[in-house]
Amino acid sequence: MNTSTIYKTLALLFISTGGLFALYYLIFDPQPYLNIQAGAFLDTVPIPFDWVQIGPISFPIQVDNYLVFQEFKTLAPAFHVTESLIYAGIVWLAVVSVLTLVTEFKKAYFILGGIIWIVLLTFSNFNGLNIGGQNANYPLIILLAGTLLPLIYFHLWGQKIHLAIKWLIIFVGTFSALAVLITQSPISNPGMYVSEHSLTIGFGLALAWVFWNGHGILSGIYILLARANRNLNLNITVQISLIALLYLGTLFIILLNLQGEVHLSIPAFSPLYLLLPLGVFGWISIGEKVSQSDELISTPAVIKALHLIGLGITLWLVWKLKLSGNQPAEELFKHLFVYTQLGFSFFFFIYLLANFMSVMNSGKAIDKILYKPYSLVYYHIRIGGLIVILVLITYTGGIVGVQANAMSSNILADYYYQVDKKLEASILYENAWMRYRKNPKAKFLTAHLLLELKQPTLARQHLEESFTESPQIDNIILLSDRLHQENKVFEAIYYLEKGLTIFPNEPHLSNNLSLLYTKVNKTSEALELMTNSESADPVVRSNLTALKTKLGQPEVSLTRNSDLISQINELAASNALANIPSEELLESLKEELQRETSPMLINAGWRNLMSEINRNNPSEDLHILDSIGQKPEMLAYLMPMQETAVIRSLAAGRVTEAVKNLNGLAFRNPKDAAYYLQLSGTILAQNLDFQKAAIEFIAAEEKGFQGFDTHHWSIFGLAGMPEKAVEIREKYQVLYPTYLTDEGPIVPEYLNMISRFHESSAQNLLSQWRTAEESALKTDIAIRIIVHKAHGLSQDDLKELEKYISGKIEANDDLKTFVDNPDLTDEASVVAFISWINSGEEPTANPYLSPLIISELHKVTDPLDQYEILNSATEFNHDPILWFNKIKAARESGLDNYADESLEILKQWVSEEELVRLQNLNY
């Protein structure tokens, strides 16, 4: 591979990478400095975990699921240290390349190039490195020595030295000077200072290239038209005139748009998009220029190389301007680019018509004489173009001067910001914005840094000033967030509402406004605003799901979301609808939780996952929850994780464990004790233990619970506390249940049986059932007798009940299997019984399922082990047979005192005759 091919490959790589980066930020990320992130917070929604139906009394068992709402917040822009160093390296490599090519210039142009370089270094403010004193000239002298001495030597005595050797020596000189500056400067992080101020060097080189290629697009197009017209005699005068007028008109519209003086229905595009066509057509124009003129500044190869380097450094400049958010510099470059295009293109068009109009349509090779004589192009056109540029600068009020001033302030402020000198940075950003209002990053960072400097009042003044004079989305978000933190919610709402009038349908503003509407109970407005949002932002969609669920209008999304927060909210909505969530959603959520690091989201995700009835053995899930809760970062969520474990236990049918742990949580967390106690009471009521349930509800009320409803009134009545039932009805305006209006004895008889169901013997309940009138409630009682009292009934009794049940509802094979062999020592019968009642795999998990407790007794032979099983169950259950067996096991274990004590307790609800019968039956 020869040297020319290597140079061309490097140039192509340099231009293509710069072009790709520039286009990416122009098209996809025009304001990369913006750092708007979604901050999450939790809310809860009660979901129907289970449904309780006790004859005419029905109520849900509700547990809390988490909803994750996300509020947009504006954070400090990220430091682009690596990118700044990369750009600085690119700029100085380009400088070395340009200076190497300058050594090939003719004498006058070499001197001119040296002067331009000295001026550019002077304006780059490297004296701020403070070598030898505050703003001393030593840095400038060192740079001039490192770059100009090799340059002068090569121009005077080294013309025959190979260009690559020149480049290498100038590279060593330049980077040695930079190394001296960085190592000798006393300021903080001088390398960062040099890299940030290299923007001025890159800006100057790009601007020189833009001036040089002023008419490149128009001249390149004309050359292509002239080549196409050879021997065709087409009227290209009209074609080039239309193209020129269209191009000049477009440039003028862009200029008006830059000035903010026109508001088109179709926005004018950024002039920076014209850089690529300028590079392409400029290459064509320069190719003709160097082939036609004898009065060039250097050889054709040098001129072409300068064009390629200039195009590349210009594209990289666009990338840097976008990445750094230096809007004044970007606007300055846009203005000067448009000025040069208008001025030089206009006079080139005049030059064409004045000199070639008569032969333009002849079909001759007019492109071959376009730049003859040389002086017409490089003096008349250039001088005329400069005059137009001066006129445009005057027309725009000299805005370029203001932009240049603000640009330099932004560069220095960026340095101070990146070395964490907040006060200096805030002052410079404030000055930059005061000089030039179209400087959003400067105004935002002014306010943000003032907040970090503990000056909230001054920061707020800046944000309000920005809102009045130059509104921008990030500042509106920051202002509303600040007001929200100060509990000035309505002021925050005001600014967000006004912001949406300026930026209609802006998703960040509408999202935050919707959340604030919810906070002030404007729920309909909140839902409407978020529903009507046209944004496809997953944050907004997730918030909409959460908001609908919170407002009692849950909807399950038809599209599967991949992010964790959306899945948490989707599962909460499904749970709120009492739907069975898809396995795909559950598995995906579990996988996301394994990767998640946020304790808040881990807590929320596992809670929603555990909030469904799941009778499988929960040991593995409980182990996972326990291991998560023991992590130090989960300390703040320890109580909620323990509550989740309680819910999982309850889902598996572990009633004893759930009730005890809920009481433990109430003791350890008094703030939420009311919630835990009422949930415990609801579980006990579901299992027909109305007295204990009523006691839990009374304790919950003492802790602040006020959500009493009709079913609570019924429970207090069934618990034998009519006075308390009257009290809560009057105190909390509880409505009477509708079953009080029912005629006939059916409901009273049913409620009388249910109120003391566990304390009653199986035979007494069966006798009452047989005399009860036909109704759905009789079926209900029949089922409950088998579920809770099967251990006290004969096979004939059970078959009688099963036959009645099968005649009223669909026959069940598991029930039929059990009553055909109601032997609680037979594993198949017990399994069929468990399957029928869906109680879970652990027989002793629910103390109110007396037949399963009895079946478990047959698995152990040690009376002490039997006593422990029965003692645990009888803490809750007042079933006479269980208590009699407990007394028997205690005596066999030598625990006579416990046996006597238990017997005295049993006598509180069992008569002497019943005790004798129990002894005779020898349970």
Side-chain angles (χ1 to χ4, degrees):
M1 184 181 292
N2 57 37
T3 305
S4 176
T5 304
I6 294 174
Y7 289 159
K8 289 178 181 178
T9 303
L10 290 174
L12 180 61
L13 182 63
F14 180 52
I15 294 169
S16 60
T17 52
L20 288 174
F21 282 123
L23 284 175
Y24 172 81
Y25 284 107
L26 280 172
I27 298 171
F28 301 108
D29 195 7
Q31 285 187 304
Y33 86 89
L34 280 178
N35 191 8
I36 300 178
Q37 300 293 333
F41 63 92
L42 296 182
D43 200 351
T44 57
V45 60
I47 62 108
F49 176 76
D50 202 356
W51 188 261
V52 179
Q53 188 73 48
I54 307 174
I57 305 169
S58 61
F59 54 92
I61 295 180
Q62 294 183 321
V63 298
D64 283 342
N65 265 200
Y66 285 111
L67 298 172
V68 185
F69 288 97
Q70 298 173 84
E71 180 183 13
F72 287 112
K73 293 181 178 291
T74 47
L75 306 180
F79 293 155
H80 298 293
V81 177
T82 303
E83 291 84 349
S84 293
L85 294 174
I86 290 173
Y87 178 73
I90 290 171
V91 166
W92 286 104
L93 288 174
V95 165
V96 170
S97 301
V98 171
L99 292 179
T100 302
L101 295 174
V102 169
T103 62
E104 301 291 314
F105 282 13
K106 294 177 181 178
K107 182 177 181 181
Y109 297 109
F110 173 81
I111 295 172
L112 181 61
I115 293 172
I116 292 174
W117 175 239
I118 293 170
V119 172
L120 186 56
L121 280 180
T122 303
F123 279 104
S124 297
N125 195 28
F126 287 110
N127 288 341
L129 289 165
N130 295 340
I131 298 175
Q134 189 78 16
N135 286 321
N137 290 326
Y138 292 109
L140 178 61
I141 294 171
I142 293 170
L143 276 175
L144 289 175
T147 55
L148 287 182
L149 290 179
L151 198 70
I152 295 170
Y153 174 81
F154 289 134
H155 183 74
L156 295 178
W157 300 291
Q159 288 294 329
K160 295 182 180 181
I161 298 176
H162 194 277
L163 209 60
I165 297 176
K166 290 182 181 180
W167 189 94
L168 185 60
I169 294 174
I170 294 175
F171 171 84
V172 172
T174 301
F175 278 83
S176 297
L178 290 173
V180 170
L181 297 184
I182 292 171
T183 56
Q184 297 303 311
S185 175
I187 67 172
S188 301
N189 199 342
M192 182 56 62
Y193 185 94
V194 171
S195 67
E196 287 298 329
H197 284 77
S198 297
L199 175 59
T200 307
I201 302 293
F203 190 94
L205 294 177
L207 194 60
W209 181 82
V210 165
F211 270 79
W212 180 30
N213 283 275
H215 56 76
I217 290 180
L218 204 57
S219 59
I221 291 174
Y222 174 74
I223 290 170
L224 292 178
L225 284 174
R227 290 175 182 175
N229 191 44
R230 289 179 188 175
N231 303 317
L232 295 179
N233 299 326
L234 297 177
N235 190 355
I236 64 169
T237 303
V238 175
Q239 296 174 7
I240 193 62
S241 297
L242 289 175
I243 292 173
L245 292 175
L246 179 63
Y247 182 59
L248 293 171
T250 301
L251 289 172
F252 190 69
I253 291 174
I254 291 174
L255 176 62
L256 295 177
N257 185 67
L258 290 175
Q259 287 291 99
E261 296 180 3
V262 293
H263 300 282
L264 303 175
S265 57
I266 302 177
F269 60 87
S270 170
L272 299 179
Y273 286 109
L274 295 173
L275 290 173
L276 283 174
L278 179 61
V280 174
F281 290 117
W283 175 260
I284 296 171
S285 179
I286 285 174
E288 289 295 336
K289 189 184 300 180
V290 298
S291 66
Q292 295 177 26
S293 178
D294 298 328
E295 301 178 24
L296 300 174
I297 62 174
S298 186
T299 63
V302 168
I303 294 174
K304 290 182 177 181
L306 283 173
H307 176 80
L308 296 177
I309 293 171
L311 174 59
I313 199 64
T314 302
L315 295 174
W316 280 103
L317 173 70
V318 174
W319 170 72
K320 172 63 175 176
L321 293 179
K322 285 294 183 183
L323 194 66
S324 65
N326 195 331
Q327 196 66 33
E330 181 181 337
E331 295 301 314
L332 173 62
F333 190 74
K334 287 178 181 178
H335 273 260
L336 292 176
F337 176 69
V338 173
Y339 298 169
T340 57
Q341 287 298 294
L342 275 171
F344 294 130
S345 296
F346 176 70
F347 269 89
F348 179 80
F349 178 57
I350 293 176
Y351 165 74
L352 277 180
L353 296 182
N355 293 276
F356 300 103
M357 188 173 180
S358 59
V359 294
M360 197 176 291
N361 303 323
S362 63
K364 297 179 180 179
I366 305 300
D367 53 297
K368 295 300 180 181
I369 59 170
L370 182 62
Y371 293 107
K372 294 181 179 180
Y374 179 83
S375 59
L376 287 175
V377 176
Y378 274 86
Y379 292 104
H380 297 175
I381 291 179
R382 295 291 176 173
I383 292 173
L386 289 173
I387 292 172
V388 172
I389 291 171
L390 293 174
V391 170
L392 291 174
I393 290 174
T394 304
Y395 168 72
T396 56
I399 192 67
V400 291
V402 177
Q403 292 166 339
N405 195 311
M407 166 188 164
S408 61
S409 294
N410 262 50
I411 291 173
L412 187 56
D414 284 345
Y415 160 71
Y416 281 124
Y417 175 61
Q418 296 190 70
V419 297
D420 202 31
K421 292 191 174 182
K422 298 175 182 178
L423 180 60
E424 293 88 342
S426 67
I427 293 171
L428 285 166
Y429 280 129
E430 180 181 357
N431 290 337
W433 189 85
M434 292 299 293
R435 291 175 182 142
Y436 187 63
R437 294 292 193 268
K438 194 173 183 180
N439 195 356
K441 176 186 173 182
K443 194 60 171 178
F444 171 76
L445 274 175
T446 300
H448 180 81
L449 291 171
L450 286 171
L451 288 174
E452 292 190 353
L453 292 168
K454 310 301 182 185
Q455 298 186 48
T457 303
L458 188 57
R460 179 177 168 182
Q461 290 175 359
H462 277 281
L463 292 171
E464 290 173 346
E465 183 181 35
S466 168
F467 186 83
T468 303
E469 298 188 24
S470 182
Q472 55 192 77
I473 293 168
D474 51 349
N475 279 352
I476 296 173
I477 295 174
L478 183 59
L479 176 58
S480 64
D481 181 54
R482 187 66 202 175
L483 291 169
H484 187 195
Q485 292 180 32
E486 296 173 0
N487 290 322
K488 299 177 180 178
V489 180
F490 289 100
E491 288 187 46
I493 289 174
Y494 166 80
Y495 282 106
L496 288 172
E497 288 176 338
K498 291 297 182 182
L500 280 173
T501 63
I502 302 169
F503 306 102
N505 298 319
E506 209 291 318
H508 304 97
L509 300 181
S510 61
N511 178 80
N512 287 9
L513 179 58
S514 179
L515 295 179
L516 288 183
Y517 275 158
T518 306
K519 186 169 185 177
V520 297
N521 292 324
K522 291 186 175 182
T523 54
S524 58
E525 291 91 337
L527 188 56
E528 180 182 3
L529 182 62
M530 199 167 284
T531 303
N532 293 336
S533 174
E534 299 175 358
S535 173
D537 192 311
V539 171
V540 178
R541 297 297 95 194
S542 176
N543 276 352
L544 179 59
T545 300
L547 184 59
K548 285 184 175 180
T549 305
K550 181 68 178 177
L551 299 180
Q553 306 172 32
E555 292 182 1
V556 176
S557 174
L558 298 178
T559 58
R560 179 67 60 237
N561 297 296
S562 58
D563 64 291
L564 176 61
I565 292 178
S566 295
Q567 290 180 358
I568 291 173
N569 289 336
E570 185 178 341
L571 183 55
S574 177
N575 291 341
L577 290 167
N579 289 348
I580 298 176
S582 67
E583 285 297 323
E584 179 186 358
L585 173 60
L586 298 178
E587 290 302 319
S588 176
L589 183 52
K590 287 180 181 178
E591 291 176 5
E592 290 293 328
L593 287 172
Q594 296 299 324
R595 295 190 289 266
E596 184 56 45
T597 57
S598 166
M600 181 185 71
L601 296 182
I602 292 172
N603 168 55
W606 280 108
R607 167 63 60 80
N608 294 3
L609 273 173
M610 298 294 104
S611 298
E612 63 170 338
I613 299 297
N614 180 2
R615 297 305 192 197
N616 295 328
N617 193 310
S619 298
E620 182 179 350
D621 290 337
L622 293 176
H623 175 72
I624 293 173
L625 294 174
D626 182 60
S627 62
I628 293 172
Q630 290 180 5
K631 295 179 181 178
E633 62 270 20
M634 295 298 296
L635 182 61
Y637 296 94
L638 181 58
M639 288 293 180
M641 289 299 293
Q642 290 177 350
E643 182 184 336
T644 301
V646 171
I647 293 171
R648 180 64 186 96
S649 296
L650 182 60
R654 291 184 174 182
V655 173
T656 304
E657 184 177 303
V659 172
K660 287 185 175 181
N661 287 338
L662 283 172
N663 278 269
L665 285 172
F667 178 77
R668 295 192 300 274
N669 189 11
K671 183 179 66 173
D672 295 323
Y675 166 75
Y676 296 133
L677 291 169
Q678 68 81 26
L679 179 57
S680 173
T682 306
I683 296 168
L684 291 167
Q686 180 189 31
N687 287 279
L688 309 182
D689 197 342
F690 302 111
Q691 289 184 341
K692 286 188 177 66
I695 293 171
E696 295 287 81
F697 290 139
I698 292 172
E701 183 184 23
E702 292 172 354
K703 297 296 184 179
F705 178 67
Q706 298 181 355
F708 288 99
D709 206 346
T710 302
H711 66 275
H712 294 100
W713 183 91
S714 299
I715 291 169
F716 280 118
L718 293 171
M721 300 181 183
E723 298 84 1
K724 189 62 182 179
V726 172
E727 179 187 332
I728 67 163
R729 186 182 68 81
E730 294 175 351
K731 187 176 181 180
Y732 301 104
Q733 290 77 50
V734 173
L735 298 176
Y736 282 121
T738 57
Y739 64 76
L740 292 180
T741 61
D742 292 345
E743 297 181 359
I746 301 299
V747 172
E749 289 178 0
Y750 174 86
L751 295 178
N752 183 57
M753 294 176 66
I754 285 295
S755 65
R756 296 177 56 83
F757 197 86
H758 292 300
E759 298 175 356
S760 302
S761 68
Q763 291 301 324
N764 287 342
L765 290 172
L766 184 61
S767 298
Q768 294 178 62
W769 174 78
R770 284 169 175 162
T771 60
E773 295 184 12
E774 289 294 325
S775 70
L777 297 180
K778 187 171 182 178
T779 307
D780 178 276
I781 288 292
I783 294 172
R784 293 182 188 276
I785 290 174
I786 298 178
V787 170
H788 297 286
K789 302 295 183 178
H791 58 298
L793 298 174
S794 67
Q795 183 175 12
D796 292 337
D797 295 335
L798 290 171
K799 285 189 174 183
E800 178 186 356
L801 292 168
E802 187 273 333
K803 181 179 179 181
Y804 181 83
I805 294 169
S806 298
K808 299 297 182 180
I809 59 178
E810 185 178 353
N812 185 280
D813 292 337
D814 291 322
L815 175 59
K816 186 71 168 59
T817 300
F818 172 69
V819 299
D820 285 345
N821 181 28
D823 183 1
L824 293 175
T825 64
D826 184 78
E827 184 177 353
S829 295
V830 174
V831 169
F833 182 78
I834 290 174
S835 177
W836 174 57
I837 65 175
N838 189 28
S839 64
E841 301 175 1
E842 301 165 295
T844 60
N846 187 341
Y848 297 102
L849 298 176
S850 303
L852 294 182
I853 304 297
I854 296 297
S855 74
E856 192 67 12
L857 290 180
H858 297 304
K859 296 179 182 179
V860 295
T861 56
D862 188 345
L864 186 58
D865 291 337
Q866 292 178 341
Y867 175 79
E868 289 178 355
I869 294 171
L870 290 163
N871 188 57
S872 177
T874 53
E875 285 186 54
F876 296 88
N877 194 344
H878 282 185
D879 181 83
I881 296 176
L882 289 187
W883 277 80
F884 183 79
N885 279 279
K886 174 184 175 181
I887 295 167
K888 179 181 177 182
R891 294 196 188 282
E892 292 176 357
S893 302
L895 304 174
D896 292 333
N897 291 336
Y898 289 110
D900 293 339
E901 183 181 344
S902 298
L903 181 60
E904 292 302 316
I905 296 174
L906 179 60
K907 289 179 180 180
Q908 295 176 8
W909 67 85
V910 175
S911 65
E912 291 291 340
E913 295 79 9
E914 183 66 20
L915 283 174
V916 172
R917 193 176 71 83
L918 290 173
Q919 291 173 351
N920 292 335
L921 290 174
N922 193 26
Y923 282 107

